[in-house]
Amino acid sequence: MKISTSLNSWIVEQRRHLHKNPELSHFETKTKIYIEERLNELNIYTYSITGKDIVGVIEGAHPGETVAIRSDMDALPILEETGLSFSSDNSGVMHACGHDGHMAILLGIAKVLVENKDKIYGKIHLLFQHAEEEVPGGAVEIVEANGLQGIDAIFGYHLWEPIPTGIIGVREGATMAGVDRFSIKILGRGGHGSMPETTIDPTLVISHIITQLHTIVSRSIKAIDHAVISIGELSAGSNYNVIPDTAFASGTVRYFNKDISLLIHKRVEEIVDGVCKSFGAKYELEYLHGDPPLMNDKDLTLSIKQTSTRLFGAERVIDIDPILGGEDFAYYSHEIPASFTFIGIGKENSFGHHHPKFDIDENMLSVGVELFTTGVLHYLKNHIEKTEEALS
């Protein structure tokens, strides 16, 4: 469905308002109210699953499946440096990941769908989800509250800077990584740097541990299984000639198979325990299993891929490699058939996600609206036709 110039202007207007008024995860109060008001103006029935999200329901003129389309609402604790005329009015909080654009796209979808109920075979839930950036976040809360009850399938999307603008990225199966995190505190015995023999040096212990952790992927996991372990935080001591009592490190684990996550957890515990015993040190280890891998359903993803190809041409649709970033849409994909699509916004010298100068290509907002209104309507109608064919 082609997007008119006036509708495109309205979608951009929504994005700029939302960009100017960002809110952090679990505190999207004004954002939720704004979205609800826009949906109610369109005479769309709304409800909330957790009290933090907002869902609009559009019932079609024909019977059929119930599907959902999801957008996230939260911003990040980042001081904006874009210099945009509609920069954040909430100092230190910024839409630096594209969620403002995601909401604008879903509002645009809402506006198109309410004018085309005669083309809808079934029911469509427009899910504006809170707290995608936090762990635990909004998706797991919605799943735990039985928010997917009665939903047969769910679609999601992300404006994605690593893909060139105008390109649609799709993938079946494992698409985005599961994300774990861990922290290690080494409890040694400090002393003067000139007498290390009287100490249990926690900096030496943590160094050995970090070296050993980096062997897990290369020596404990099959080469065909994707996984990453990275240390992002390291601290110890405050004086050049004093061996401290403690040292600290934390890191992240990325994977596409839950068994790999469990194996890495086990090996981290074994390595930390073994190294500390060898040096006579004690430790405190915390390992948090975060969002699971995002698994794209084959049929849903193929449907979106076919729609993208029809609308924009095969040259603008690519099969992407697995992405080691995490996304809590993954929780939905382990409950019902789900598909998550990437809409390219990358340009030469553009800034990446979570950067204080990150910005989106607003030309891609209408592309997202066109893709998912057309794609979801096609999926619902096609499902009815397949059902009738099977019964005939």
Side-chain angles (χ1 to χ4, degrees):
M1 288 186 174
K2 291 298 180 183
I3 307 305
S4 67
T5 301
S6 60
L7 176 55
N8 182 64
S9 297
W10 184 84
I11 295 166
V12 170
E13 179 186 333
Q14 304 313 306
R15 181 260 165 161
R16 294 186 178 187
H17 171 88
L18 292 161
H19 186 88
K20 194 172 184 178
N21 297 276
E23 295 178 297
L24 294 174
S25 303
H26 296 290
F27 297 96
E28 303 97 321
T29 308
K30 293 180 180 178
T31 303
K32 174 179 175 289
I33 292 171
Y34 182 83
I35 295 294
E36 186 172 19
E37 288 175 348
R38 300 292 79 74
L39 294 175
N40 290 160
E41 286 173 358
L42 297 170
N43 294 317
I44 294 175
Y45 168 75
T46 58
Y47 71 98
S48 181
I49 301 165
T50 66
K52 302 176 187 178
D53 57 84
I54 189 70
V55 185
V57 182
I58 302 175
E59 190 156 0
H62 313 282
E65 278 198 331
T66 298
V67 301
I69 312 173
R70 175 267 208 170
S71 163
D72 32 24
M73 298 193 295
D74 52 334
L76 290 155
I78 293 174
L79 182 63
E80 183 165 357
E81 298 176 7
T82 62
L84 295 168
S85 61
F86 50 91
S87 291
S88 171
D89 277 347
N90 189 358
S91 181
V93 181
M94 175 191 174
H95 273 297
C97 200
H99 298 188
D100 51 341
H102 300 168
M103 289 184 281
I105 288 172
L106 196 50
L107 285 172
I109 291 170
K111 201 158 190 178
V112 173
L113 290 177
V114 294
E115 296 172 358
N116 290 275
K117 290 184 179 181
D118 60 314
K119 295 183 177 69
I120 300 176
Y121 287 78
K123 192 181 297 184
I124 301 172
H125 288 226
L126 310 173
L127 169 57
F128 293 84
Q129 179 209 303
H130 62 293
E132 186 277 328
E133 298 286 359
E134 282 291 316
V135 178
V140 68
E141 291 184 351
I142 286 171
V143 169
E144 289 175 350
N146 295 318
L148 297 182
Q149 188 171 6
I151 307 294
D152 297 300
I154 186 167
F155 296 87
Y157 51 85
H158 206 303
L159 296 167
W160 199 240
E161 192 277 335
I163 297 177
T165 191
I167 301 298
I168 307 299
V170 296
R171 180 178 176 82
E172 297 175 7
T175 301
M176 297 190 75
V179 181
D180 296 348
R181 67 185 185 193
F182 61 88
S183 63
I184 307 163
K185 184 176 183 180
I186 303 302
L187 308 172
R189 184 173 66 244
H192 199 281
S194 65
M195 296 180 287
E197 72 279 3
T198 66
T199 73
I200 299 174
D201 187 349
T203 61
L204 183 60
V205 176
I206 202 80
S207 298
H208 276 262
I209 288 172
I210 290 172
T211 300
Q212 292 299 311
L213 291 179
H214 285 302
T215 69
I216 295 175
V217 172
S218 63
R219 291 298 178 268
S220 297
I221 295 173
K222 292 178 182 179
I224 59 173
D225 290 325
H226 300 284
V228 168
I229 300 175
S230 294
I231 303 297
E233 188 177 11
L234 178 63
S235 61
S238 59
N239 201 314
Y240 81 101
N241 65 349
V242 177
I243 293 173
D245 287 317
T246 63
F248 178 84
S250 68
T252 185
V253 175
R254 307 296 169 112
Y255 62 92
F256 292 97
N257 182 318
K258 190 63 178 178
D259 290 338
I260 297 297
S261 169
L262 297 174
L263 173 60
I264 291 174
H265 185 176
K266 177 175 178 287
R267 291 294 293 126
V268 169
E269 288 184 336
E270 292 172 344
I271 288 170
V272 172
D273 186 67
V275 171
C276 285
K277 282 179 178 176
S278 71
F279 283 97
K282 296 181 179 180
Y283 66 90
E284 295 173 358
L285 171 64
E286 183 179 6
Y287 194 104
L288 175 65
H289 291 275
D291 298 341
L294 194 161
M295 309 298 291
N296 269 348
D297 178 79
K298 180 179 179 179
D299 291 338
L300 264 64
T301 303
L302 178 60
S303 179
I304 288 296
K305 182 178 182 179
Q306 291 172 339
T307 299
S308 301
T309 301
R310 286 196 306 271
L311 290 174
F312 312 120
E315 70 280 359
R316 287 180 58 184
V317 184
I318 62 171
D319 293 300
I320 61 171
D321 292 329
I323 295 169
L324 285 162
E327 162 63 65
D328 78 347
F329 184 87
Y331 284 102
Y332 306 135
S333 74
H334 290 265
E335 300 292 325
I336 59 176
S339 185
F340 198 73
T341 304
F342 297 86
I343 303 169
I345 57 168
K347 294 182 178 181
E348 187 177 358
N349 299 320
S350 59
F351 294 93
H353 298 273
H354 294 209
H355 191 281
K357 292 184 179 179
F358 173 82
D359 192 17
I360 67 172
D361 182 347
E362 291 182 333
N363 292 320
M364 298 309 294
L365 299 176
S366 61
V367 170
V369 175
E370 185 177 359
L371 172 56
F372 282 94
T373 50
T374 307
V376 171
L377 289 176
H378 171 77
Y379 172 79
L380 288 170
K381 189 172 188 296
N382 191 50
H383 178 78
I384 287 292
E385 291 173 350
K386 285 183 177 180
T387 302
E388 291 176 346
E389 183 179 334
L391 295 173
S392 63

